[in-house]
Amino acid sequence: MPNNGRKRAAPQSARSSKIRKPKHVSDGEDSNGSSISDQDVPRSPSPIDDEPAIKLPEELLKTFYKTPGVLLIAGLVSWDLVAKRDNNPSKRTHPNLYTFHKFTDRKYRLIVSGCSAGHSILVSEEGDAYTFGRNACGQLGFGDTTTRDIPEAVPTLKGLNIIHAAVGRNHSLFVTDTGAVYACGDNKSGQCGVGNTTAQILKPTRIKYSGAPIVKVGCGAEFSMILDCNGALHSFGLPEYGQLGHNTDGRYFVTSTKLSFHFETVPKHVALFFEKSKDGHVSPVKDVDIVDFSCGNNHTVAIDSKKRAYSWGFGGFGRLGHAEQRDESVPRLIKFFDSQSRGVRSVHCGSTYSLAVNENGALFLFGQTKRTGEANMYPKPVQDLSGWNIRSVGTSNTSIVLTADDSVIAWGVSPTYGELGTGEIAKSTARPKEVTKMEGMNITQVTMGFSHTLLLCDDSTEEVKQKLAAMPAFEP
């Protein structure tokens, strides 16, 4: 396979133990202040042409305008403690929420967080972007690094109709109804796509991209992925485990002991998809039009128009579903789903695991949600959920919350922070369990951060309105 003329370092197995690995962080560890190279010289973002004037087709836009709902929240809400090893209760600014609470009076049509994130993006009925949570790198887009406990409208994006968004560990992406993408936050690995590695982009800035309009975005911990309207994926940011899909991990030696990476600072097309037979024979997969994808901390799973699934990036714990723990630097077909009755409808990645819902509505898990014990090296059905109609899925660092039929179902092993919403007594559970208090609440969307959960509740019926009225409110 071509490696685009990049110099590759020695294969991973041959890495010398004396080489100091950059203070870079893998799954679920705090990475504030991680610095990888000498490239982070502050430079102002390059000017980019004005917002394109042509809107996406109305039929397409309508698919983004989901039923607006009332926002509910549970979990760790002391944002600056998210993913910190020193999670001392005395430092909490607010107690953890062990049950779901109403949060703000506004209705939203889209809620977004990420499995490594301590911040969230909300899109109002009118298409305005609101952000709140941790803001150490300017990921909330206000031009400062002040944490916000209450969602506030992002000034730079006022007047733009936001249709999609994504968050990484410390960066954010926003998509407008013209298919333009704005980014802000941590950019030390080029994950904001503005053409340089200025350490922080404090206000949403247009990414350096002039291709077909973008319809979906996703973020890993330190990388970003965008999908255009023609089904082509483009990626940028940190290539450490091959998660950008460009057939390289981007490593090079600055000196004999200092390792760095060739960061992708502008979106680059993911050109190749391949399959591998049992005897190791590799062949390219032709005519791949990606329709959906999801990013974990350091891996991505995508599905194409033929309902085939591909995965690439960090392979530990089997999260790529190939029955081996190898990293993949080019999108590889997941053989398990490549048969008549096993097409994939949607994919959802957590930090060290992946979920796929097949055409029949069955949920499969591969990888590992907990820190110890057995990992699923290939997709295995979640038996407890067979027969349920899964509607929306949220994945965090180690927990999963989803809506199926009229119920909210949650599971995650200790330590949990209240993100399951099951109450303070049974705050963790290794098996999927119905959140009884949320029964019949008509939950339309779920999203999860590292240790918090957001839900949208459609309150169009009297019954739901009464239940909402009896719920506690979170008023930081």
Side-chain angles (χ1 to χ4, degrees):
M1 278 175 217
N3 82 347
N4 307 333
R6 290 273 170 82
K7 264 196 265 182
R8 288 207 62 158
Q12 290 191 326
S13 54
R15 239 187 262 154
S16 153
S17 58
K18 287 181 187 157
I19 293 163
R20 216 179 57 231
K21 202 170 177 233
K23 181 180 178 283
H24 199 64
V25 180
S26 174
D27 308 304
E29 287 173 29
D30 181 28
S31 77
N32 286 352
S34 69
S35 111
I36 305 182
S37 90
D38 305 320
Q39 297 181 11
D40 353 335
V41 184
R43 280 177 281 170
S44 58
S46 40
I48 290 170
D49 308 336
D50 291 337
E51 169 87 8
I54 302 165
K55 288 193 175 178
L56 293 165
E58 203 57 44
E59 284 73 43
L60 178 60
L61 286 175
K62 278 180 185 155
T63 63
F64 291 97
Y65 301 155
K66 304 279 193 299
T67 310
V70 176
L71 182 66
L72 307 176
I73 187 169
L76 175 67
V77 288
S78 303
W79 304 113
D80 293 328
L81 297 183
V82 172
K84 287 283 195 324
R85 288 209 173 93
D86 176 23
N87 193 346
N88 185 335
S90 66
K91 292 184 180 170
R92 282 185 204 160
T93 49
H94 303 285
N96 291 7
L97 307 177
Y98 288 101
T99 57
F100 285 101
H101 285 55
K102 286 183 301 230
F103 186 35
T104 78
D105 299 328
R106 213 173 282 103
K107 282 195 174 180
Y108 302 97
R109 70 179 185 211
L110 177 68
I111 50 175
V112 174
S113 197
C115 58
S116 56
H119 70 292
S120 308
I121 298 172
L122 313 168
V123 179
S124 71
E125 294 177 88
E126 300 75 32
D128 293 320
Y130 288 77
T131 58
F132 70 99
R134 183 167 65 190
N135 193 27
C137 301
Q139 59 263 48
L140 300 186
F142 294 107
D144 59 30
T145 53
T146 309
T147 295
R148 303 240 181 348
D149 287 330
I150 293 172
E152 290 179 38
V154 182
T156 317
L157 299 174
K158 276 219 168 95
L160 297 178
N161 180 14
I162 301 301
I163 58 168
H164 199 256
V167 303
R169 184 175 269 133
N170 290 305
H171 72 292
S172 306
L173 299 180
F174 306 85
V175 188
T176 70
D177 60 0
T178 60
V181 180
Y182 290 78
C184 59
D186 183 10
N187 187 44
K188 288 195 284 290
S189 304
Q191 62 264 53
C192 284
V194 294
N196 57 42
T197 51
T198 301
Q200 293 177 350
I201 308 291
L202 296 178
K203 288 183 177 177
T205 302
R206 276 278 306 283
I207 66 170
K208 276 199 129 175
Y209 169 80
S210 54
I214 297 302
V215 292
K216 185 177 169 76
V217 288
C219 296
E222 279 93 18
F223 74 98
S224 305
M225 197 75 63
I226 59 176
L227 175 66
D228 70 28
C229 57
N230 301 327
L233 273 178
H234 311 264
S235 60
F236 45 103
L238 178 74
E240 185 175 6
Y241 302 99
Q243 64 263 49
L244 299 186
H246 302 148
N247 198 20
T248 176
D249 59 11
R251 292 167 193 276
Y252 71 95
F253 286 99
V254 184
T255 64
S256 60
T257 55
K258 189 176 180 191
L259 184 61
S260 187
F261 297 90
H262 290 291
F263 304 122
E264 286 298 343
T265 60
V266 295
K268 183 176 173 183
H269 180 219
V270 179
L272 209 62
F273 293 78
F274 81 101
E275 64 177 305
K276 197 174 183 180
S277 64
K278 282 194 173 130
D279 56 9
H281 179 70
V282 169
S283 53
V285 180
K286 297 275 197 295
D287 305 323
V288 176
D289 288 327
I290 298 299
V291 293
D292 196 9
F293 69 95
S294 178
C295 300
N297 281 2
N298 294 303
H299 77 292
T300 302
V301 182
I303 43 184
D304 69 9
S305 53
K306 295 177 181 155
K307 299 185 175 159
R308 299 175 293 194
Y310 306 84
S311 62
W312 63 101
F314 192 37
F317 301 130
R319 72 195 79 180
L320 300 183
H322 302 307
E324 55 181 338
Q325 299 208 50
R326 243 184 62 171
D327 295 357
E328 298 287 350
S329 58
V330 173
R332 177 178 169 186
L333 183 74
I334 303 177
K335 291 298 248 189
F336 181 87
F337 295 118
D338 189 29
S339 70
Q340 289 289 213
S341 58
R342 285 183 178 165
V344 179
R345 193 172 78 193
S346 66
V347 286
H348 315 272
C349 294
S351 55
T352 56
Y353 61 92
S354 311
L355 297 171
V357 181
N358 77 358
E359 288 171 286
N360 305 327
L363 183 73
F364 290 82
L365 175 104
F366 38 113
Q368 188 178 44
T369 53
K370 45 191 186 289
R371 282 284 164 264
T372 54
E374 214 174 288
N376 288 357
M377 296 305 292
Y378 59 90
K380 288 184 183 169
V382 180
Q383 298 293 0
D384 294 344
L385 288 173
S386 61
W388 288 85
N389 172 32
I390 291 163
R391 299 195 299 170
S392 180
V393 179
T395 50
S396 80
N397 185 42
T398 55
S399 299
I400 299 165
V401 175
L402 53 83
T403 56
D405 298 316
D406 292 332
S407 300
V408 173
I409 294 164
W411 71 104
V413 293
S414 190
T416 55
Y417 307 89
E419 70 268 24
L420 303 184
T422 47
E424 205 154 348
I425 297 168
K427 46 191 169 198
S428 63
T429 167
R431 298 189 60 174
K433 195 171 159 182
E434 280 185 72
V435 184
T436 46
K437 283 188 177 171
M438 304 305 291
E439 188 65 45
M441 285 292 282
N442 203 2
I443 301 300
T444 54
Q445 275 182 56
V446 186
T447 190
M448 295 184 84
F450 182 94
S451 48
H452 71 283
T453 304
L454 300 176
L455 303 177
L456 277 191
C457 166
D458 177 5
D459 66 344
S460 49
T461 67
E462 208 47 54
E463 185 193 351
V464 174
K465 278 195 175 108
Q466 286 171 4
K467 286 186 176 176
L468 271 173
M471 280 184 96
F474 173 53
E475 294 168 349

